[in-house]
Amino acid sequence: QVQLAESGGGLVQAGASLRLSCAASGRTFGSYTMGWFRQAPGKEREFVAAVSWGSTKYYADSVKGRFTISRDNAKNTVYLQMDSLKPEDTAVYYCAAGVRYALPRRVDNYDYWGQGTQVTVSS
């Protein structure tokens, strides 16, 4: 069992930056694929970024070049650095962990989810 806790969300203006953190419990954090997803009101949960246990990184086209995912296995933490934020980035952001690595952009690739943290970007 893995428990995930996100932090770092907030209200910012367009163009600002935020860094989200996701702290994980468990001894096998380093073996999980870690992902970030987001869900805006009335929309489906969508992929944002992921990092495999081998540190291969994946990004949605909408955030490529603006967001950076990283992981610190010693701290059992994954980060999402979000720069040049846009109003369309407004959503609840969820951290996820999965033992599979084949389809890191899919929601069903992940076994564990955090409660989410709200990110609001004003224009």
Side-chain angles (χ1 to χ4, degrees), residues 67-86:
F67 291 10
T68 304
I69 191 170
S70 61
R71 66 188 301 161
D72 186 336
N73 290 340
K75 296 182 178 179
N76 279 15
T77 302
V78 63
Y79 304 97
L80 185 68
Q81 176 67 41
M82 305 186 295
D83 299 320
S84 302
L85 282 161
K86 304 176 180 180

Side-chain angles (χ1 to χ4, degrees), residues 3-10 20-23 35-39 45 91-96 112-119:
Q3 293 185 326
L4 304 171
E6 303 97 335
S7 61
L20 305 183
S21 299
C22 173
W36 285 98
F37 288 74
R38 66 188 181 187
Q39 189 166 17
R45 192 166 297 189
V92 177
Y93 282 69
Y94 297 91
C95 174
Y112 306 101
W113 293 83
Q115 294 299 307
T117 184
Q118 177 71 47
V119 172

Side-chain angles (χ1 to χ4, degrees), residues 21-40:
S21 299
C22 173
S25 65
R27 300 178 182 178
T28 58
F29 173 81
S31 64
Y32 285 97
T33 294
M34 300 299 298
W36 285 98
F37 288 74
R38 66 188 181 187
Q39 189 166 17

Side-chain angles (χ1 to χ4, degrees), residues 103-122:
L103 299 169
R105 293 180 171 86
R106 290 176 59 97
V107 169
D108 58 6
N109 189 71
Y110 297 88
D111 306 291
Y112 306 101
W113 293 83
Q115 294 299 307
T117 184
Q118 177 71 47
V119 172
T120 303
V121 185
S122 63

